[in-house]
Amino acid sequence: MIRYFEKQMEELNYSIHSLDENIFERWVEDATEALEKGHKIIASGLGKNVPICEKFVGSMISMGYEACFLHTNSAVHGDMGVVKDGDMVILLTKSGETEESVNLVRLLKQRRVNIWLLTFEKESTLTKEIDNVIVMDLRHEGDLWNVMPNNSTTINLIMLQGLAMMIANKMKLDIGQFKRNHPGGQIGKKLRVQF
């Protein structure tokens, strides 16, 4: 049983090491610049990527940074109203071919926003249509058939959380700001004692 987890850790390690660090640093720069100018970061996804986006947004908000989730499917039913000029939109799609994702990108390109794609396919409709792309290598999803979004969503979570932590580092997040947003729970208790 432990060997299964060891194997998945090997797969995740392989994917992490496929990251182009220069592109990731540019992603951090773009995100930081958007926030410093009073704009927000919007994470958009479908299916199993929805809770991944929501986790990233939750982390950003807990640090006091402007962020929100835009469901790729609901966007065309009025939710695009959340997208304002100057915002950064991060789109998660494994294939870069999902109809709803392609449609959303074409609509977003009519607005003054900075679009970033997080994907696992080097050649796709969206890698051709979006300038800012992070492509991760993925050898196997870790399920019985290499079909379920398992390791890919884990990698997406790692990438987005890494982005959030690098933003906090670049913007020199103050513990006082973080503490102000966590008055309750175990985190609040720990912050009251230690800070």
Side-chain angles (χ1 to χ4, degrees):
M1 185 61 72
I2 289 177
R3 179 58 193 144
Y4 168 79
F5 294 109
E6 290 175 340
K7 175 62 177 168
Q8 300 327 304
M9 292 302 292
E10 290 169 9
E11 294 299 331
L12 297 178
N13 189 52
Y14 174 82
S15 289
I16 294 296
H17 281 88
S18 72
L19 175 66
D20 184 320
E21 292 186 70
N22 292 324
I23 296 177
F24 187 86
E25 286 174 12
R26 188 160 54 81
W27 193 23
V28 175
E29 291 279 349
D30 280 8
T32 303
E33 182 179 351
L35 293 170
E36 287 176 339
K37 288 183 176 179
H39 305 300
K40 63 183 172 297
I41 313 297
I42 300 169
S44 184
L46 284 170
K48 302 303 182 290
N49 277 321
V50 169
I52 304 303
C53 292
E54 290 175 335
K55 172 63 172 79
F56 166 73
V57 169
S59 294
M60 292 289 287
I61 290 172
S62 76
M63 295 186 292
Y65 301 131
E66 290 292 323
C68 70
F69 168 64
L70 175 64
H71 196 292
T72 308
N73 194 42
S74 300
V76 297
H77 300 286
D79 290 358
M80 280 187 71
V82 77
V83 181
K84 307 298 182 191
D85 287 352
D87 288 345
M88 172 188 280
V89 180
I90 304 168
L91 186 67
L92 278 61
T93 167
K94 181 181 175 182
S95 67
E97 297 291 348
T98 311
E99 184 179 341
E100 296 92 339
S101 300
V102 172
N103 186 38
L104 176 58
V105 165
R106 289 173 180 168
L107 292 169
L108 287 172
K109 288 173 83 172
Q110 298 172 22
R111 300 180 180 218
R112 293 195 296 272
V113 295
N114 187 5
I115 307 169
W116 276 81
L117 176 68
L118 184 53
T119 188
F120 293 88
E121 291 294 335
K122 290 181 173 67
E123 295 295 327
S124 71
T125 299
L126 288 183
T127 56
K128 291 173 185 156
E129 292 198 15
I130 298 175
D131 294 330
N132 303 311
V133 179
I134 291 183
V135 182
M136 305 296 294
D137 290 340
L138 181 72
R139 293 187 300 198
H140 203 281
E141 282 284 14
D143 65 317
L144 293 172
W145 319 279
N146 193 26
V147 172
M148 293 177 66
N150 183 44
N151 286 338
S152 59
T153 51
T154 303
I155 291 297
N156 283 341
L157 178 62
I158 292 170
M159 287 297 104
L160 287 177
Q161 288 302 112
L163 174 64
M165 295 306 105
M166 292 303 102
I167 289 170
N169 182 58
K170 194 160 189 64
M171 296 185 74
K172 296 180 172 42
L173 177 65
D174 180 76
I175 190 65
Q177 178 181 337
F178 186 72
K179 182 178 178 180
R180 196 164 53 245
N181 296 331
H182 293 83
Q186 285 301 309
I187 292 178
K189 183 178 179 181
K190 184 175 183 178
L191 290 171
R192 283 194 299 275
V193 172
Q194 295 186 4
F195 302 96

